[in-house]
Amino acid sequence: MSTPVLEIVDLRKSFGQTLVLHDVHLTVPEHTATVLIGASGSGKSTLLRCINLLEPIDDGLILLDGQEISDPAINVDVIRRKLGIVFQSFNLFPHMTIRENITLAPIKVQGKSKDEANDLADGLLKRFDLLEKADEYPDRLSGGQQQRAAIIRSIAVNPRLLLLDEVTSALDPVLVNEVLSIVRDLKADGMTMVLATHEMGFAKKIADNVIFLHKGRVHESGTPEQIFSSPKSAELKAFLGALHEAGRL
């Protein structure tokens, strides 16, 4: 059996006296999409931030391709070159054009020439229908276009693992599909991903594995069919019932 791209063992994370992640176990094989679901405050975003080493963990292990990256002695900058993360708030640099946002890491981190980085950026922008916006500043783009640009920026460095944190939650419903389409394309390309989302219909379609987090614990995990059609725990049944009542499932 091949080594998983990501493996999490007994992860615990606290903020002060509040334990927000409890003994989390997670395995992400290569070329798969793992989707994190759960109510707000269940620990989804915190887990993604721990994986990207934005938050130190209190206990447990995080392994990337078998290497422990949660070791305090690890070179965080080296590890982050292998990880892409996209937040719900876009986080594009407002003083840079879209092309400049995308080429920054390939030039500064990977040592590509400006011409190489521009060719890479333009190829990605063309593929995802944003080439005409290459020389615009972020505030001239719609929210959906900004989020697509943020995803393009994250994949320009060819990450080993892509983390997506509620990438549609700040968008008007009309713009959600244009962002989800780029994620579907990346999935088809074989990108290994971990996503936190409230879009259950999308989770059903894209996920190889669904993880249900409740109060910082993994209560259930399985295929979309298992999680959405045959929930076992009372917590998951209640969560899905609330979504159904709200018309979101």
Side-chain angles (χ1 to χ4, degrees):
M1 183 179 295
S2 61
T3 301
V5 172
L6 177 71
E7 188 172 9
I8 296 174
V9 182
D10 291 335
L11 187 150
R12 294 169 69 87
K13 171 65 182 176
S14 299
F15 291 115
Q17 298 299 312
T18 304
L19 186 61
V20 294
L21 292 172
H22 307 236
D23 301 326
V24 171
H25 286 258
L26 180 63
T27 300
V28 180
E30 189 173 26
H31 307 313
T32 64
T34 295
V35 176
L36 309 176
I37 65 169
S40 296
S42 61
K44 303 185 301 295
S45 293
T46 299
L47 180 55
L48 291 178
R49 290 176 64 84
C50 288
I51 295 169
N52 198 52
L53 308 181
L54 291 169
E55 295 286 354
I57 65 173
D58 301 326
D59 200 4
L61 299 173
I62 304 174
L63 299 103
L64 184 67
D65 288 321
Q67 177 190 10
E68 184 188 348
I69 64 172
S70 49
D71 183 337
I74 201 79
N75 186 325
V76 173
D77 291 334
V78 171
I79 298 302
R80 287 203 186 124
R81 292 172 192 169
K82 303 177 183 180
L83 302 170
I85 188 165
V86 184
F87 301 98
Q88 55 186 280
S89 55
F90 317 147
N91 287 6
L92 295 167
F93 293 112
H95 63 290
M96 292 182 172
T97 66
I98 296 303
R99 183 186 287 110
E100 289 169 342
N101 266 277
I102 294 168
T103 59
L104 182 63
I107 292 171
K108 298 292 187 182
V109 177
Q110 296 183 318
K112 292 184 183 295
S113 69
K114 185 175 181 179
D115 286 344
E116 286 178 309
N118 283 338
D119 287 346
L120 171 66
D122 287 357
L124 290 169
L125 287 166
K126 181 178 181 180
R127 178 183 173 188
F128 295 112
D129 298 323
L130 278 179
L131 185 57
E132 74 280 4
K133 303 294 185 181
D135 296 314
E136 299 278 8
Y137 289 92
D139 64 359
R140 300 294 299 274
L141 274 62
S142 70
Q145 290 170 334
Q146 288 186 60
Q147 191 60 289
R148 283 157 59 200
I151 294 172
I152 292 169
R153 180 179 62 178
S154 73
I155 64 173
V157 293
N158 193 28
R160 185 72 175 119
L161 177 67
L162 181 61
L163 309 172
L164 301 168
D165 186 14
E166 302 284 7
V167 293
T168 60
S169 66
L171 301 178
D172 182 288
V174 175
L175 302 176
V176 167
N177 279 339
E178 69 178 68
V179 174
L180 296 184
S181 68
I182 191 172
V183 181
R184 280 192 293 267
D185 286 347
L186 295 174
K187 160 75 172 176
D189 288 346
M191 177 73 73
T192 306
M193 296 184 282
V194 181
L195 311 83
T197 186
H198 287 300
E199 300 286 339
M200 295 301 120
F202 179 63
K204 289 180 183 180
K205 292 177 182 177
I206 198 170
D208 295 289
N209 192 37
V210 180
I211 306 292
F212 170 59
L213 283 168
H214 178 72
K215 295 183 178 179
R217 295 183 184 273
V218 175
H219 271 250
E220 290 191 45
S221 64
T223 65
E225 177 69 21
Q226 290 169 330
I227 294 298
F228 293 108
S229 300
S230 304
K232 296 182 176 62
S233 68
E235 292 84 359
L236 178 54
K237 290 176 182 177
F239 174 70
L240 296 176
L243 289 175
H244 185 75
E245 287 183 14
R248 297 178 60 187
L249 186 63

